[in-house]
Amino acid sequence: MNKPGFEFWFDFASTYSYLSVCRIEDLARKEGISIEWKPFLLGPIFNSQGWDTSPFNIYKAKGEYMWRDIERQSKKFEIPFNNPSQFPRNGLLAARVALASQSEDWCPEFISRVFSANFVEDKDIADEEVIASILNSLGMDALRIIAQAKSQDSKDELRLQTQLAADKGIFGAPSFVIGKEIFWGNDRLEDAFSWYNKHK
Amino acid sequence: MNKPGFEFWFDFASTYSYLSVCRIEDLARKEGISIEWKPFLLGPIFNSQGWDTSPFNIYKAKGEYMWRDIERQSKKFEIPFNNPSQFPRNGLLAARVALASQSEDWCPEFISRVFSANFVEDKDIADEEVIASILNSLGMDALRIIAQAKSQDSKDELRLQTQLAADKGIFGAPSFVIGKEIFWGNDRLEDAFSWYNKHK
């Protein structure tokens, strides 16, 4: 049986996913671990819990705390962060692009730039222009990639991916998954790496 | 103006509060910080969010994750832990005792033994006999203390304390509060200490 990979499940709208996106590649390099990037949508998972938006919007005190915590945490990790003027943003198109391109070399950089657009530059990542401009900045054929991302195949693929996340027991993002072990939250990134290295 | 204290808000039924109870005194000694123990009830705060029990019971995937996470975390911190046969247990009496005795030398040890009863020995901390036996083991007059904890004054005091927690913006436990800064969760204990020491 093959050793399970190190899966990084993230949602483009998720603040704590952003912190992990900024941290994971350096840590993975140091640990000699290669990451499997797993974009998915929290929306349907939240819906199945009876929530129609982020719990940070539904539960006021928790939401206020999260914004302050992200401010402190991004300072601690020396990560640039600016409060987005809209939360959560719709990461559907970005997730379809990332999923269809997951085996491409430029995909991690695409992911990182989309997160920066949302949480540093305060751009609307639901906007095709924003995604196209990121793809162009990477030297990619934005028109072709976006057309593909809007195909039925691509829609089905992301729906399956999100169902797979739910089936694994994922309920939030970021989640780091190694076989049957789930580590939830940016706070568990180091623990997840250490688990992976202990069990290889 | 006096420097704000380091407040440790906890609920006797809370698994992650237990991890912090086991860790906080050693860390506080090393940091030279004295702790203000703040027992309160999560129940009314959860109620105001529309929950009639712990979110770990309401949201199944999150609950299953929590039990696995606590198992891994307690191993990591070398903290004894056994899954309680009932969750959450009613910590009302224990909280009233702890609140009425908060300035007593024996109070931190009482708190620690109640958490062990719940999360190591699988005893029902709602049971007066269990609380009495812990008080007796500390050489205290259990009958007198429990009678006092059941007085109207004591009930009012805990109600006020829980309202104070809500007013501060506390929505979960453990929470570490320094002036207007809230640090939520056992994962933020070190950050809270470091904040406290940087701002004294």
Side-chain angles (χ1 to χ4, degrees):
Chain A
M1 203 181 86
N2 280 343
K3 183 184 186 325
F6 187 102
E7 301 175 359
F8 172 28
W9 292 79
F10 61 93
D11 178 302
F12 281 105
S14 146
T15 46
Y16 290 105
S17 293
Y18 167 64
L19 297 186
S20 288
V21 163
C22 294
R23 298 171 63 226
I24 199 166
E25 288 188 281
D26 275 359
L27 285 169
R29 232 184 323 267
K30 277 179 207 155
E31 303 274 353
I33 290 172
S34 105
I35 303 297
E36 297 176 18
W37 300 79
K38 301 283 187 186
F40 76 111
L41 295 182
L42 276 173
I45 288 175
F46 286 165
N47 284 345
S48 73
Q49 298 177 343
W51 300 332
D52 60 357
T53 179
S54 163
F56 295 127
N57 289 345
I58 297 172
Y59 305 108
K60 194 172 158 280
K62 193 167 189 161
E64 280 173 12
Y65 173 79
M66 182 276 283
W67 293 112
R68 178 63 183 133
D69 188 53
I70 284 285
E71 197 181 342
R72 287 188 311 230
Q73 292 281 301
S74 55
K75 204 166 284 182
K76 172 178 166 182
F77 292 118
E78 300 181 341
I79 290 171
F81 178 81
N82 293 307
N83 271 27
S85 54
Q86 192 193 338
F87 178 83
R89 285 207 166 101
N90 185 338
L92 188 66
L93 178 62
R96 285 184 189 151
V97 169
L99 187 55
S101 318
Q102 56 185 331
S103 55
E104 307 284 343
D105 283 353
W106 52 268
C107 192
E109 184 59 27
F110 169 76
I111 291 166
S112 162
R113 290 190 193 186
V114 174
F115 272 100
S116 290
N118 192 2
F119 293 118
V120 184
E121 299 151 37
D122 194 21
K123 287 184 183 161
D124 186 2
I125 58 168
D127 184 345
E128 261 185 58
E129 299 285 325
V130 170
I131 299 301
S133 129
I134 291 170
L135 287 166
N136 287 328
S137 76
L138 292 163
M140 305 312 302
D141 182 348
L143 269 181
R144 185 188 57 78
I145 292 170
I146 288 177
Q148 183 199 25
K150 290 162 82 177
S151 70
Q152 191 58 46
D153 277 1
S154 207
K155 290 178 187 179
D156 292 345
E157 207 186 345
L158 184 58
R159 203 169 291 130
L160 269 175
Q161 174 91 334
T162 297
Q163 186 55 51
L164 184 60
D167 292 346
K168 280 175 186 266
I170 290 174
F171 56 90
S175 290
F176 313 103
V177 179
I178 304 152
K180 290 203 175 308
E181 293 291 325
I182 301 176
F183 294 81
W184 171 52
N186 179 56
D187 295 325
R188 290 287 177 278
L189 180 52
E190 283 82 356
D191 284 357
F193 278 133
S194 136
W195 178 275
Y196 185 87
N197 278 335
K198 263 186 214 152
H199 294 82
K200 68 181 171 191
Chain B
M1 203 182 86
N2 281 342
K3 183 184 186 325
F6 187 102
E7 300 174 359
F8 172 28
W9 292 79
F10 61 92
D11 178 302
F12 281 104
S14 146
T15 47
Y16 291 104
S17 293
Y18 167 64
L19 296 187
S20 289
V21 163
C22 294
R23 298 171 63 226
I24 199 167
E25 288 188 280
D26 274 359
L27 286 168
R29 232 183 322 265
K30 277 180 207 153
E31 303 274 353
I33 290 172
S34 105
I35 305 295
E36 297 176 18
W37 300 80
K38 301 282 188 186
F40 76 113
L41 295 182
L42 276 173
I45 288 176
F46 287 165
N47 283 345
S48 73
Q49 298 177 344
W51 300 333
D52 59 358
T53 179
S54 163
F56 295 128
N57 289 345
I58 297 173
Y59 305 108
K60 194 171 157 282
K62 193 165 189 162
E64 278 171 13
Y65 173 78
M66 182 276 283
W67 293 111
R68 178 64 184 133
D69 188 53
I70 284 284
E71 197 181 341
R72 287 188 312 229
Q73 292 282 301
S74 55
K75 205 167 282 183
K76 172 178 166 182
F77 292 118
E78 301 182 339
I79 289 170
F81 178 82
N82 292 306
N83 271 26
S85 53
Q86 191 194 338
F87 178 82
R89 285 208 165 101
N90 184 337
L92 188 65
L93 178 63
R96 284 183 189 153
V97 169
L99 187 55
S101 318
Q102 59 186 331
S103 55
E104 308 284 344
D105 284 352
W106 51 268
C107 192
E109 184 59 26
F110 169 75
I111 291 166
S112 162
R113 291 190 192 186
V114 174
F115 272 100
S116 290
N118 192 2
F119 294 117
V120 184
E121 299 151 36
D122 194 23
K123 287 184 182 159
D124 186 2
I125 59 169
D127 183 344
E128 261 185 58
E129 299 283 326
V130 170
I131 299 301
S133 127
I134 292 171
L135 287 167
N136 285 329
S137 77
L138 291 164
M140 304 312 301
D141 181 348
L143 270 181
R144 185 188 58 77
I145 292 170
I146 288 178
Q148 183 200 23
K150 290 163 81 178
S151 69
Q152 192 57 47
D153 276 3
S154 207
K155 291 179 188 179
D156 292 345
E157 206 186 345
L158 183 59
R159 202 168 292 130
L160 269 174
Q161 173 92 333
T162 297
Q163 186 55 51
L164 184 61
D167 292 346
K168 279 175 186 267
I170 291 174
F171 56 90
S175 289
F176 313 103
V177 179
I178 304 152
K180 289 203 176 307
E181 293 292 325
I182 300 176
F183 294 82
W184 172 51
N186 180 56
D187 296 325
R188 290 286 175 279
L189 180 52
E190 282 82 355
D191 284 358
F193 277 132
S194 136
W195 180 274
Y196 185 86
N197 277 335
K198 262 187 215 152
H199 294 80
K200 67 182 171 189

